[in-house]
Amino acid sequence: MLLAHVALPVPMPHPYSYAIPARLAARVALGSRVLCSLGSRRLVGVVVAKGEGDPPPKVKPLLDLLDDEPSLSPALPEELLAFLRDLSAYYLAPIGEVMRLALPPIERAVARALEDSLFETKKGISARKVQTVIATDSVEAKALGGQAAAILAHVRAIGETPLTRLEERWKSARAAVKKLASLGLVTTSTREVAADSFFASPAPRDVPPELTAPQAAATEAIAASLAAKAATTFSLHGVTGSGKTEVYLRAIVAARAQRRGSIVLVPEIALTPQLVARFRARFGDDVAVLHSGLLPRERLAMWKRLRAGELDVAIGARSALFAPVRDLGLIVVDEEHDPSFKQEEGIRYHARDMAILRAHRASAVCILGSATPSLETEHLCRTGKAKKLVLPDRARAQAMPAVEIVDLRRMGPGPTGDKRISLPLHRALEATLAARAQAILFLNRRGFSPAVRCEACGELCACPSCSVALTFHKRHGERLRCHYCDYETPFPERCAKCQSPSLALEGLGTEKLEETLSAAFPEARVARLDRDVATGRTVDTVLGRMRAREIDILVGTQMVTKGHDLPHVTLVGVINADAALSLPDFRAAERAFHLLVQVAGRAGRGDAPGRVLIQTYTPDHPAIVHALRHDVNAFIERELADRREVGYPPYSRVALVRVDHPEESVARDACTLLAEVARQAAEAAGGEADARVQVLGPAAAPLARLRQRFRFRIMLRSSDRAMLRRTLLAVERARGQVARGVRTAIDIDPVQLL
DNA sequence: TCGTCAGTTAAA
DNA sequence: TTAACTGACGAG
């Protein structure tokens, strides 16, 4: 019997086998999308293997083949298919769910439509409309249950909310909203949404500039690898303004010359409109820009055009890694060090690592570009797995801004009385305002105060499910919010533990900083930029106001450090550099360093020389010392040495554990032991551990049920390196105890796979 | 007795 | 993941 092995979007590690009916036999290929019935459901899957053989006892036939357009068949080209299988094996992720990453999201709707045989191919793109939900003033007559109550509370707190946003969080939001609407508690309305903002204005073509010598050398090296079809990873190290983008553009041209396509990954596409603009200026509209604002239909259109080879360049965030680009020749990862390349929910993957993998599989070139390369990339260079290309800083002549340290141990508070607005910072703000220039203040804490403590018994208000301190948000009705899980509750009247009414706000968030500054500088226009005020596209609105000089002082989180030219900013203040340094992450120092270098780069790139003030209690910390001198190499050297000293692998912190033993009881014991070790290690480290256990072999089926229980995370809530070493030793020891059939992969280096 | 709920199981 | 099934419970 002819069988098709199909990866279906269910969390099972194996594909399902179906009989290929005669009428489809000629057309079903590897990578084809097929409609299958699984239990009582109908699902769209991808054919990952074909063959004759013994059918499983309950084999069913394929229902249909979805690749109706011959030019787009099969849906997933061989190269992409092979890559997805590697990714699935590497991250122990269910094959079907991985395949789904690469399929256009409209498939759900298609499958449903097929089921109802209502499917009709509508050409053209419908108007962009979005349905929103607004709470009315009426009060519910009787208590509501479950989702309806939660949704009502949410809409009342947040205000007008798109229905799709609600559906992300509550599965049956649509039904619940319908019910609420019938009770008169909410109303819905449909509004038109602005067209795709990236293509709103025509792109004036640019003229390719003359390359500098280092640019030319880099371009040449890349073109040579492309011409030789030699899979090569390049680390392109150059500060902002050193011309990395021009190298990307030339590399794409070189790939094109060989009729090969390119993928460009950026950390957050919404924050990089000017990079997109440069690509459009060079290549016109022949660039697929994949961003979150696309409607499913538009996304599908892009997908098809890429698949058909009509477009050969795709730009986007993480997920653009799975673009069906034809004859892939090049993958660029811009701002390679950025942590947002790591997908942390659903299928977990690191887009930078997987970009290297996909490029190698396709005999393509991978360029990792950054002004502050990650230690992982440096490690690849040192182990000969990547080649280093350096663009010296030609902008150095324009003078880097003067970076000054404000030692909070010695410096008293400024006139506001708040220690976090020190005297030097206060004076610098005054000077900036007097000069009619702009200032950016960076504070990595959203909300008003990051903690609320009972003054009677000392208890912190904590999230019931995450046991993390709740942040007080003044706007949106004085509520406490958990920044991990979005749990929300009104500000309590009394302490939950001792009923005392004296609850004190602790610490400083962006909301409070904004308020304090508005009071201290009444003549200044103070604005705030963080996730609470700006989501996705609205970031641009705030930055637009900044560029138009409608804002004097901008207070913000991470967001203010990324992208965008703000030429009138002459002062950048880091309120508390130690906040970034004490994050519960072994990469805290590295990230703080990246942040400080980036933030410093924001000052004075325009008409006036800039000033950067970094407030800290630990001015001697290497991340701060080296950021002061803009010395990336010295920092990397120091950090690598530090990590070596505690025995931490240079690559990744994730521990994957595979248990492969035929004896169920042994496999079970191994799982139990590893889970226990992780739990204990995590407890000792004051946090959780990040590891996953997968059971392979004959014991897999009986233990599959228990998989949930064996999934655990180690997240070190301590920057204590000795603790880190103890944790790793504990996991190593456990590996020794259950040695037979247990493999652990703690040091994950994707290039080892190649 | 029926409906609801939480927990279990199988899906090719 | 999802849907179907199971047994336990409590309201009527």
Side-chain angles (χ1 to χ4, degrees):
Chain A
M1 185 188 281
L2 243 191
L3 294 174
H5 306 287
V6 182
L8 291 169
V10 289
M12 294 303 202
H14 54 82
Y16 289 79
S17 308
Y18 289 85
I20 305 179
R23 70 191 164 90
L24 298 177
R27 288 154 61 213
V28 171
L30 292 190
S32 290
R33 286 177 302 168
V34 285
L35 188 68
C36 309
S37 73
L38 182 74
S40 60
R41 288 184 292 167
R42 284 168 175 217
L43 297 169
V44 175
V46 176
V47 177
V48 290
K50 254 171 59 162
E52 312 228 7
D54 296 338
K58 283 185 245 171
V59 72
K60 289 184 195 172
L62 290 178
L63 296 177
D64 211 344
L65 178 71
L66 270 94
D67 301 328
D68 44 352
E69 289 173 56
S71 65
L72 301 183
S73 181
L76 299 184
E78 208 184 316
E79 172 263 319
L80 186 49
L81 196 67
F83 164 61
L84 293 167
R85 290 164 84 167
D86 286 344
L87 189 147
S88 157
Y90 179 63
Y91 286 112
L92 310 180
I95 182 78
E97 310 225 294
V98 171
M99 293 288 154
R100 186 157 57 171
L101 292 174
L103 294 174
I106 204 153
E107 291 317 330
R108 244 168 192 281
V110 171
R112 205 175 303 136
L114 273 172
E115 195 171 354
D116 305 341
S117 61
L118 291 171
F119 186 53
E120 39 183 316
T121 43
K122 270 190 201 150
K123 291 282 169 189
I125 291 166
S126 55
R128 300 169 64 95
K129 284 182 183 159
V130 66
Q131 222 184 356
T132 60
V133 182
I134 313 142
T136 61
D137 293 333
S138 19
V139 180
E140 52 269 50
K142 57 172 185 174
L144 292 158
Q147 295 201 345
I151 288 172
L152 184 60
H154 182 82
V155 173
R156 279 180 177 161
I158 304 290
E160 182 165 358
T161 314
L163 185 54
T164 46
R165 183 77 54 80
L166 294 174
E167 279 186 309
E168 284 166 17
R169 198 154 146 199
W170 293 283
K171 231 188 64 204
S172 48
R174 201 165 279 269
V177 165
K178 211 168 162 186
K179 186 170 146 204
L180 290 170
S182 72
L183 293 169
L185 295 167
V186 300
T187 56
T188 59
S189 63
T190 306
R191 18 185 94 214
E192 298 265 333
V193 177
D196 192 338
S197 57
F198 284 105
F199 289 92
S201 54
R205 289 306 188 95
D206 71 344
V207 180
E210 192 92 352
L211 292 182
T212 63
Q215 279 178 325
T219 308
E220 236 163 74
I222 292 163
S225 287
L226 272 167
K229 293 217 195 301
T232 317
T233 305
F234 290 101
S235 161
L236 182 64
H237 179 183
V239 302
T240 326
S242 62
K244 289 195 296 287
T245 309
E246 190 55 37
V247 176
Y248 303 156
L249 293 169
R250 301 293 177 120
I252 292 169
V253 170
R256 266 195 175 169
Q258 294 184 34
R259 313 188 140 271
R260 298 173 81 186
S262 308
I263 293 175
V264 180
L265 301 180
V266 296
E268 271 163 274
I269 189 94
L271 300 181
T272 32
Q274 76 279 49
L275 185 84
V276 173
R278 286 199 56 191
F279 278 79
R280 288 187 65 216
R282 191 65 54 85
F283 302 119
D285 289 344
D286 300 338
V287 177
V289 182
L290 306 168
H291 57 92
S292 57
L294 286 181
L295 297 172
R297 242 216 169 98
E298 295 167 326
R299 200 171 282 275
L300 178 67
M302 290 281 195
W303 187 89
K304 282 186 171 173
R305 294 183 68 195
L306 285 165
R307 179 72 192 92
E310 258 177 72
L311 299 177
D312 61 357
V313 180
I315 306 183
R318 284 193 298 257
S319 58
L321 175 62
F322 304 105
V325 168
R326 260 214 189 171
D327 299 314
L328 185 66
L330 173 72
I331 305 182
V332 172
V333 185
D334 189 33
E335 304 295 335
E336 153 276 310
H337 62 275
D338 196 293
S340 55
F341 282 119
K342 191 162 147 195
Q343 170 72 266
E344 298 260 29
E345 37 188 53
I347 302 292
R348 293 166 166 250
Y349 62 92
H350 200 302
R352 182 229 295 132
D353 297 353
M354 291 301 106
I356 297 171
L357 183 65
R358 185 171 177 192
H360 273 251
R361 281 281 182 261
S363 303
V365 165
C366 183
I367 304 176
L368 307 174
S370 177
T372 49
S374 62
L375 290 203
E376 286 83 352
T377 298
E378 181 63 23
H379 175 65
L380 291 180
C381 291
R382 293 188 179 198
T383 49
K385 289 169 178 169
K387 289 183 185 165
K388 199 180 272 192
L389 301 171
V390 181
L391 299 182
D393 177 16
R394 80 176 159 186
R396 177 82 60 176
Q398 289 173 19
M400 293 304 259
V403 184
E404 302 155 48
I405 290 289
V406 177
D407 187 341
L408 289 176
R409 293 171 306 184
R410 307 220 176 103
M411 212 58 78
T416 59
D418 192 321
K419 198 161 160 76
R420 266 87 35 116
I421 305 172
S422 66
L423 191 59
L425 180 61
H426 197 99
R427 295 281 171 257
L429 282 168
E430 283 172 347
T432 307
L433 293 171
R436 310 220 157 265
Q438 293 173 309
I440 291 180
L441 296 184
F442 170 74
L443 175 62
N444 215 359
R445 282 255 150 92
R446 343 185 243 119
F448 194 85
S449 342
V452 178
R453 190 184 293 276
C454 169
E455 290 189 301
C457 72
E459 187 78 354
L460 273 179
C461 292
C463 172
S465 40
C466 311
S467 54
V468 172
L470 292 168
T471 301
F472 173 62
H473 286 254
K474 201 164 186 178
R475 298 276 183 87
H476 296 305
E478 310 222 323
R479 294 171 79 82
L480 297 182
R481 249 193 254 166
C482 171
H483 284 182
Y484 272 46
C485 70
D486 284 331
Y487 166 84
E488 241 188 80
T489 176
F491 189 79
E493 308 239 319
R494 294 171 175 281
C495 168
K497 195 177 170 197
C498 74
Q499 304 303 319
S500 154
S502 49
L503 295 172
L505 301 177
E506 265 185 10
L508 177 70
T510 46
E511 245 186 277
K512 184 174 182 186
L513 183 60
E514 182 192 14
E515 199 179 285
T516 311
L517 288 168
S518 296
F521 301 99
E523 75 287 6
R525 295 160 298 177
V526 183
R528 174 161 61 99
L529 180 63
D530 57 31
R531 269 231 313 268
D532 296 324
V533 290
T535 52
R537 253 166 299 165
T538 44
V539 175
D540 235 26
T541 325
V542 178
L543 292 167
R545 283 173 55 212
M546 192 72 184
R547 239 166 269 136
R549 303 182 107 158
E550 290 166 22
I551 297 170
D552 301 309
I553 303 175
L554 182 66
V555 172
T557 54
Q558 301 282 48
M559 276 185 194
V560 298
T561 65
K562 292 194 175 169
H564 351 284
D565 281 315
L566 297 171
H568 310 299
V569 172
T570 59
L571 174 67
V572 170
V574 176
I575 299 299
N576 180 7
D578 304 299
L581 283 169
S582 55
L583 283 178
D585 182 345
F586 81 95
R587 278 191 253 262
E590 188 184 355
R591 289 178 60 173
F593 175 77
H594 292 160
L595 206 73
L596 291 174
V597 171
Q598 262 185 69
V599 99
R602 306 238 48 69
R605 273 207 276 115
D607 38 17
R611 238 183 121 187
V612 178
L613 292 186
I614 298 177
Q615 302 193 131
T616 176
Y617 287 98
T618 56
D620 301 323
H621 193 287
I624 292 176
V625 172
H626 296 304
L628 263 183
R629 301 189 198 130
H630 303 279
D631 197 338
V632 178
N633 292 324
F635 173 75
I636 288 177
E637 215 55 64
R638 170 66 194 255
E639 187 64 15
L640 273 176
D642 265 16
R643 289 199 198 167
R644 209 176 300 126
E645 196 183 304
V646 296
Y648 203 83
Y651 214 82
S652 172
R653 71 166 172 160
V654 182
L656 297 179
V657 184
R658 296 172 206 236
V659 177
D660 184 359
H661 194 283
E663 203 62 51
E664 188 193 327
S665 59
V666 176
R668 180 193 293 264
D669 288 347
C671 288
T672 313
L673 180 65
L674 288 165
E676 184 55 22
V677 164
R679 198 192 56 76
Q680 281 176 13
E683 207 167 287
E688 312 158 52
D690 197 351
R692 288 170 57 195
V693 181
Q694 190 188 45
V695 185
L696 304 170
L703 288 180
R705 273 186 316 113
L706 299 170
R707 214 177 37 173
Q708 267 323 95
R709 216 188 299 161
F710 292 134
R711 199 175 270 185
F712 41 80
R713 309 189 60 191
I714 303 184
M715 240 170 58
L716 294 167
R717 294 260 167 77
S718 152
S719 44
D720 182 352
R721 307 229 162 167
M723 200 64 91
L724 194 59
R725 181 201 283 187
R726 284 218 295 279
T727 309
L728 287 166
L729 279 176
V731 174
E732 280 299 302
R733 261 202 308 276
R735 181 162 70 161
Q737 282 179 46
V738 289
R740 182 159 130 71
V742 176
R743 290 188 290 154
T744 58
I746 292 171
D747 178 4
I748 303 167
D749 178 344
V751 184
Q752 281 175 2
L753 295 173
L754 303 171

